[in-house]
Amino acid sequence: MAGEITETGDLYSPFVGLVYMFNLIVGTGALTMPKAFANAGWLVSLILIIFLAFMSYMTTTFVVEAMAAANAQLRWKRWEKEEDPDSSESSDNEVSSSRGYNRSETQPILSVQRRGLSDPFEIVERVEMGQMASLFFNKVGVNLFYFCIIIYLYGDLAIYATAVPLSLVQVTCFSANGSCSAQAEERNDTDPCWGPVRRIDAYRIYLAVFTLLLGPFTFFNVQKTKYLQILTSLMRWIAFIIMIVIALVRIGKGEGAGHPPLAQVSGIRNLFGVCVYSFMCQHSLPSLITPVSKKKHLTGLVLLDYFLVLAFYSLLCFTAIFCFSSGAIMDMYTLNFGGCSPFVPQVIGYFLGLFPVFTISTNFPIIAVTLRNNWKTLFHRDGGTYPWLVDRVVFPLITLVPPIIVAFCTNHLEILVSITGAYAGNGIQYVIPAFLVFCSRKDNALVYGPGLTNKHISPFRQVGWVWFVLCWALTCFIYVTANIILTDGSL
């Protein structure tokens, strides 16, 4: 995500790509969706989630098209370098070289084909979004891109730092009190946990331990191993399946306590942010799409994935809101099954209550290192290096401290997810893909001419769709901000 070209890695089949993309989209955000559904009403929630799935699919096709355009741009630059080896390095790094465009007007397509590049838009190199921003945006646009990515990653870290202590409090305070009464109800922060220790105090103790154990990884480099990915994915799917099955069994036995309303306008703000966050995958598409071996039906593959994700989210949320009353659904849905729930075997209850602790804890250092590297990229200047103190201490500290402070001040997970999705997620999922596809189409038309078409062009190829996405993003920004001002009285 720091914006450099990286190796593609081992290729895999389209079916494996389908599974990887499904796992990428369905993450922590899905655990906060049931409460957002209950608060907004089932009909409004269903309509909004279908529409947001459609919008996310559209911008995903925008990013895929921009990836193909970036590959074409890099091929053109290499061809230019081969034709003119005496060209300076600075001119090679310019995003919009006037000499390149002049040359494209005289020999754009034929010369490329003579050099064996019959299809310059083939996606064979992994070009991360930061690199695409550098290719197609000006300096201001690149800085705004990194600013948006950084804010989103800060939100991610704050969500992770809140979810782990919250899960531990919910599980250990129940067992410490020795009572299972009202286990599915949201507890008050001032309720006792361990004798004189309140729940909010226990939450902050767990947060301090979490920071001490995982915070130091921010100062080093960590990589997510293949086996760790498999383990966390397996745990996540076991947990999701168990929750859905238990909810369906309770509803089938007539024990469901949920009577959700059709619509409740006050809950739309949080629902929007949660849904945007839950459909987020655009920033990871280059590493996911590039290794797919056969990309001929890539658009259809992505569409199928979105249908599956939408069906899964709907099943998870509808079973939740009809199984539990609106007030009983917690910020993190797993907590409704954790601890000593009377309708869940104790072992399964503790597994569901604690599984976010294990899965999120493995992701926190990776996200933190990614954020630290983006900070470095944002302030990096060609030929320059950072002093040891700045590189090893300052950047890790500005990465770690802000989200921990946010998590210390609030443990309302749904609010953190909704704010992250409504603002930074809005930029990453809508604004950045729209501008990437708009600028890439303009640049490649100048380089290759109008006669060569991008084989991965989005089905939404008319420029009106780009403006529709931007208008929708602006409308959502205004609505969420106005709703916060009117509801809470301040930003």
Side-chain angles (χ1 to χ4, degrees):
M1 195 175 292
E4 295 183 4
I5 301 174
T6 55
E7 293 182 2
T8 302
D10 296 333
L11 298 180
Y12 44 73
S13 68
F15 175 77
V16 174
L18 179 94
V19 174
Y20 283 172
M21 187 171 183
F22 192 94
N23 282 335
L24 173 68
I25 297 176
V26 180
T28 310
L31 298 177
T32 63
M33 289 185 74
K35 184 173 183 179
F37 256 64
N39 292 338
W42 70 266
L43 182 60
V44 168
S45 299
L46 181 62
I47 294 173
L48 186 60
I49 193 175
I50 291 174
F51 180 73
L52 291 179
F54 166 74
M55 295 296 293
S56 181
Y57 167 70
M58 185 193 306
T59 56
T60 296
T61 64
F62 285 172
V63 174
V64 172
E65 180 182 339
M67 288 167 53
N71 272 259
Q73 284 278 356
L74 293 175
R75 287 188 180 93
W76 176 266
K77 287 179 180 293
R78 280 195 294 270
W79 175 79
E80 264 200 319
K81 198 170 184 179
E82 292 174 2
E83 289 292 305
D84 189 4
D86 296 328
S87 61
S88 65
E89 183 178 350
S90 60
S91 64
D92 181 61
N93 290 331
E94 289 180 2
V95 175
S96 300
S97 169
S98 59
R99 181 178 60 179
Y101 289 151
N102 290 335
R103 182 174 293 172
S104 70
E105 294 174 1
T106 58
Q107 44 183 28
I109 303 171
L110 186 59
S111 297
V112 175
Q113 291 177 336
R114 284 173 179 169
R115 303 193 68 83
L117 295 176
S118 58
D119 189 1
F121 293 98
E122 187 68 39
I123 302 175
V124 294
E125 290 185 78
R126 192 170 85 183
V127 187
E128 300 291 353
M129 287 190 74
Q131 180 69 14
M132 285 191 277
S134 299
L135 284 171
F136 301 125
F137 295 166
N138 57 25
K139 184 177 180 181
V140 174
V142 172
N143 288 337
L144 289 176
F145 164 81
Y146 278 108
F147 176 78
C148 188
I149 287 287
I150 286 170
I151 296 299
Y152 175 77
L153 293 176
Y154 268 133
D156 249 358
L157 292 179
I159 290 166
Y160 290 172
T162 302
V164 170
L166 196 63
S167 297
L168 290 171
V169 165
Q170 195 70 17
V171 173
T172 59
C173 283
F174 281 155
S175 58
N177 288 339
S179 172
C180 291
S181 60
Q183 59 80 34
E185 298 293 333
E186 197 81 54
R187 295 289 186 97
N188 195 299
D189 287 341
T190 57
D191 288 346
C193 181
W194 312 311
V197 179
R198 302 173 302 167
R199 291 174 63 84
I200 187 63
D201 298 326
Y203 166 82
R204 287 170 178 165
I205 291 172
Y206 281 129
L207 176 61
V209 173
F210 176 85
T211 305
L212 290 175
L213 291 177
L214 296 181
F217 286 100
T218 311
F219 295 81
F220 306 100
N221 290 320
V222 292
Q223 291 183 337
K224 194 171 186 178
T225 65
K226 175 181 178 181
Y227 298 106
L228 190 58
Q229 292 183 49
I230 294 174
L231 177 62
T232 55
S233 296
L234 182 63
M235 291 182 64
R236 181 168 68 243
W237 284 110
I238 291 174
F240 279 129
I241 291 171
I242 290 175
M243 290 187 293
I244 292 173
V245 170
I246 291 175
L248 285 173
V249 170
R250 290 198 69 199
I251 295 171
K253 290 181 177 180
E255 299 175 359
H259 302 283
L262 286 175
Q264 198 164 320
V265 177
S266 60
I268 295 179
R269 179 194 76 188
N270 281 350
L271 177 65
F272 168 75
V274 168
C275 288
V276 169
Y277 185 83
S278 299
F279 281 112
M280 186 68 65
C281 67
Q282 284 75 7
H283 58 300
S284 299
L285 284 175
S287 59
L288 192 69
I289 296 296
T290 307
V292 174
S293 57
K294 299 178 181 179
K295 303 182 179 70
K296 183 178 180 181
H297 303 292
L298 197 57
T299 302
L301 180 74
V302 173
L303 180 61
L304 176 60
D305 237 326
Y306 271 93
F307 271 119
L308 294 175
V309 171
L310 180 60
F312 173 78
Y313 281 166
S314 300
L315 179 62
L316 178 71
C317 293
F318 274 92
T319 54
I321 63 178
F322 284 100
C323 180
F324 301 98
S325 62
S326 297
I329 299 179
M330 299 187 183
D331 281 1
M332 183 167 286
Y333 185 47
T334 50
L335 300 182
N336 282 90
F337 302 86
C340 46
S341 304
F343 53 86
V344 180
Q346 193 173 42
V347 174
I348 294 178
Y350 280 109
F351 168 74
L352 292 176
L354 292 175
F355 113 89
V357 175
F358 301 114
T359 56
I360 291 175
S361 295
T362 58
N363 285 330
F364 185 89
I366 299 166
I367 300 297
V369 170
T370 301
L371 174 56
R372 184 198 68 192
N373 292 339
N374 274 279
W375 271 120
K376 292 181 179 180
T377 304
L378 179 62
F379 290 105
H380 184 261
R381 297 295 178 265
D382 291 338
T385 58
Y386 294 114
W388 183 90
L389 182 65
V390 175
D391 185 56
R392 296 294 184 177
V393 179
V394 174
F395 280 123
L397 285 178
I398 65 174
T399 296
L400 183 62
V401 172
I404 298 301
I405 292 176
V406 172
F408 183 86
C409 295
T410 181
N411 61 356
H412 295 287
L413 189 64
E414 185 193 13
I415 294 177
L416 290 175
V417 173
S418 65
I419 294 298
T420 302
Y423 289 103
N426 192 353
I428 294 173
Q429 191 163 149
Y430 300 139
V431 178
I432 292 174
F435 276 111
L436 275 177
V437 77
F438 180 81
C439 295
S440 66
R441 287 172 182 174
K442 182 179 177 181
D443 285 1
N444 279 283
L446 288 171
V447 172
Y448 288 102
L452 191 61
T453 303
N454 188 338
K455 63 180 292 185
H456 296 291
I457 190 169
S458 168
F460 311 95
R461 63 189 67 191
Q462 293 81 5
V463 70
W465 286 110
V466 175
W467 290 110
F468 175 72
V469 171
L470 292 175
C471 290
W472 168 250
L474 179 61
T475 301
C476 293
F477 177 85
I478 294 173
Y479 171 78
V480 172
T481 304
N483 193 273
I484 292 174
I485 294 174
L486 294 175
T487 304
D488 303 330
S490 66
L491 289 172

